[in-house]
């Protein structure tokens, strides 16, 4: 954990995402340890509502934000798989999970910002006279990231999120989603919102080398997946985002010159599974194209995580930062 976090810090990452599942290590503990081994790196902690009451989750996040001097953000994930939810004892359906997330995010924000005791009586949460003594180091609060592709998800995100996370779809689709969510946020709730796009860069010194590497990675993925899921079938059965990626994969292996879909098809689009394939210069150009249509940030993940993290810091990240600065001018 320490070595991996330090590699991200040296390579110029702003944050690292700490994922969540019903079987993996608890994110607050991982973030606290990693923060003690780094100086500037931020931590985006994925969290599923339903297992910790929001008043306590808000105090946990605020405590860690204070201890790290403002290096914490929360990625609120409602859940796209009934089976995965039930492993932790959650039996409510897809839409109810998003209604619960709406309440959860509202309460977290109020715990961080309200200065007088408040009551709450909702569909999922009820309490009296809550007032937290621990405030966030960041003002007015810890940033709330959020993701989801269904209509109810877009409504909740437009209403509550600071940053809306989108999976790597073709450029025109991302442009349309950003426009839709922005209009909901501004028109219904008088809010502005930022966006991130999640993709998996596959780099080579030449474009041919990058595509050769991509095909090798696909062979590895197919070997590891085996017969656990059907190719082209969603790994998360209630996930609209997975269905969208699989639809794009069915339309073609490559979109926008280098957005590569076969890994998404092979894995059932289980999360961030679309790749940008090319040289560092080419992939940076593709990322900047997303930036031009409204993406403020990118969540990038490697197939050889440590080496990719080191390699991206040499050329890809500096090119993206320089290109974004040039666009801003």
């Amino acid at each position: 954990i320490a070595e991996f976090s330090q590699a991200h810090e040296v390579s110029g990452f702003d944050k690292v995402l700490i994922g969540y599942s019903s079987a993996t290590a608890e994110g607050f503990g991982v973030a606290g340890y990693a923060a003690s081994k780094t100086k500037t790196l931020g931590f985006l902690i994925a969290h599923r509502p339903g297992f910790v009451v929001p008043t306590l989750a808000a105090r946990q996040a605020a405590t860690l934000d204070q201890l790290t001097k403002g290096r914490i953000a929360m990625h609120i994930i409602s859940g796209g798989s009934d089976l995965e939810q039930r492993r932790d004892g959650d039996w409510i359906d897809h839409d109810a999970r998003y209604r619960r997330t709406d309440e959860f995010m509202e309460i977290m924000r109020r715990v961080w910002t309200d200065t007088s005791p408040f009551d709450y009586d909702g569909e999922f949460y009820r309490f009296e006279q809550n007032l937290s003594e621990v405030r966030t180091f960041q003002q007015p609060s810890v940033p709330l990231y959020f993701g989801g592709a269904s209509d109810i998800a877009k409504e909740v995100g437009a209403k509550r999120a600071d940053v809306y996370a989108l999976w790597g779809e073709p450029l025109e689709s991302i442009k349309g989603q950003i426009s839709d969510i922005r209009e909901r946020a501004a028109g219904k709730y008088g809010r502005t919102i930022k966006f991130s796009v999640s993709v998996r860069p596959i780099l080579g010194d030449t474009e041919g080398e990058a595509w050769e590497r991509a095909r090798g990675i696909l062979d590895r993925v197919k070997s590891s997946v085996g017969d656990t899921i059907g190719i082209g079938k969603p790994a998360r059965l209630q996930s609209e985002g997975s269905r969208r990626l699989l639809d794009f994969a069915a339309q073609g292996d490559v979109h926008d010159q280098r957005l590569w879909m076969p890994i998404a098809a092979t894995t059932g689009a289980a999360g961030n599974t679309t790749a940008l394939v090319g040289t560092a210069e080419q992939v940076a150009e593709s990322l900047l194209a997303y930036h031009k249509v409204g993406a403020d940030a990118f969540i990038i993940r490697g197939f050889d995580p440590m080496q990719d993290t080191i390699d991206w810091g040499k050329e890809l990240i500096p090119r993206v930062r320089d290109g974004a600065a040039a666009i801003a001018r």
Side-chain angles (χ1 to χ4, degrees), residues 80-96:
S81 166
D82 287 350
L83 176 61
E84 172 74 6
Q85 297 293 125
R86 290 169 184 172
R87 288 171 178 160
D88 269 335
D90 182 31
W91 294 81
I92 69 173
D93 62 28
H94 174 276
D95 285 7

Side-chain angles (χ1 to χ4, degrees), residues 218 221-222 231 249 252-254 259-267 273:
L218 180 60
V221 170
K222 286 180 177 179
I231 292 178
D253 285 352
V254 181
L259 181 68
W260 196 52
M261 310 302 294
I263 291 172
T266 301
T267 60
T273 49

Side-chain angles (χ1 to χ4, degrees), residues 62 64 84 103 116 141 173 263 273 314:
L64 199 51
E84 172 74 6
E103 291 188 10
S116 301
S141 64
S173 175
I263 291 172
T273 49
K314 296 174 183 176

Side-chain angles (χ1 to χ4, degrees), residues 13-314:
F13 281 79
D14 298 293
K15 296 180 178 70
V16 287
L17 172 62
I18 300 173
Y20 185 109
S21 82
S22 61
T24 51
E26 191 278 320
F28 284 104
V30 173
Y33 177 78
S36 74
K37 302 298 181 180
T38 52
K39 296 179 180 178
T40 60
L41 188 67
F43 301 92
L44 178 56
I45 304 170
H47 187 86
R48 281 187 194 161
F51 309 108
V52 178
V53 292
T55 50
L56 174 56
R59 296 198 305 277
Q60 289 176 307
T63 300
L64 199 51
D65 196 50
Q66 287 287 351
L67 294 174
T68 62
K69 291 183 167 57
R71 291 196 276 154
I72 302 302
M74 298 294 297
H75 189 15
I76 307 301
I77 302 172
S78 301
S81 166
D82 287 350
L83 176 61
E84 172 74 6
Q85 297 293 125
R86 290 169 184 172
R87 288 171 178 160
D88 269 335
D90 182 31
W91 294 81
I92 69 173
D93 62 28
H94 174 276
D95 285 7
R97 290 199 290 268
Y98 279 97
R99 295 197 307 272
R100 179 174 64 191
T101 294
D102 182 27
E103 291 188 10
F104 191 92
M105 294 174 78
E106 178 189 8
I107 292 166
M108 287 192 86
R109 187 94 65 186
R110 291 193 64 181
V111 171
W112 290 331
T113 59
D114 276 23
T115 56
S116 301
F118 69 98
D119 300 340
Y120 195 89
D121 189 2
E123 180 182 359
F124 299 96
Y125 300 106
R126 182 183 180 188
F127 53 81
E128 294 181 348
Q129 296 295 286
N130 180 272
L131 180 63
S132 175
E133 294 180 4
V134 56
R135 299 285 148 174
T136 58
F137 184 90
Q138 298 171 87
Q139 292 300 315
S141 64
V142 164
L144 288 176
Y145 287 61
F146 172 88
S150 63
D151 189 70
I152 189 171
K154 291 177 180 179
E155 200 65 27
V156 172
K159 187 178 181 183
R160 303 293 182 196
D162 296 307
V163 182
Y164 202 111
L166 302 168
W167 282 341
E169 297 182 358
L171 192 61
E172 282 303 308
S173 175
I174 291 291
K175 183 178 179 180
Q177 288 210 73
I178 287 175
S179 177
D180 178 17
I181 296 164
R182 271 184 178 160
E183 288 176 6
R184 295 177 193 236
K188 292 186 179 181
Y189 307 111
R191 305 183 67 242
T192 57
I193 190 169
K194 294 183 177 181
F195 296 88
S196 76
V197 174
S198 299
V199 290
R200 302 187 72 158
I202 300 175
L203 303 186
D205 291 334
T206 65
E207 185 173 10
E209 183 182 306
W211 284 109
E212 183 178 356
R213 184 180 175 216
R215 289 188 288 271
I217 290 170
L218 180 60
D219 289 341
R220 279 165 42 197
V221 170
K222 286 180 177 179
S223 180
S224 66
V225 169
D227 297 324
T228 57
I229 62 170
I231 292 178
K233 296 180 180 179
R236 300 173 179 175
L237 296 180
Q238 289 75 44
S239 172
E240 179 63 24
S242 292
R243 281 193 287 271
R244 288 176 64 92
L245 292 188
L246 292 174
D247 286 345
F248 286 119
Q251 294 169 25
D253 285 352
V254 181
H255 296 258
D256 303 329
Q257 293 188 293
R258 61 192 70 264
L259 181 68
W260 196 52
M261 310 302 294
I263 291 172
T266 301
T267 60
N272 178 5
T273 49
T274 52
L276 288 174
V277 183
T279 65
E281 181 180 8
Q282 290 170 330
V283 171
E285 288 175 355
S286 294
L287 291 172
L288 290 168
Y290 285 115
H291 179 54
K292 289 176 182 177
V293 300
D296 302 281
F298 300 101
I299 299 175
I300 56 175
R301 178 184 177 192
F303 291 97
D304 297 299
M306 178 63 81
Q307 191 59 50
D308 284 338
T309 297
I310 294 167
D311 290 344
W312 294 342
K314 296 174 183 176

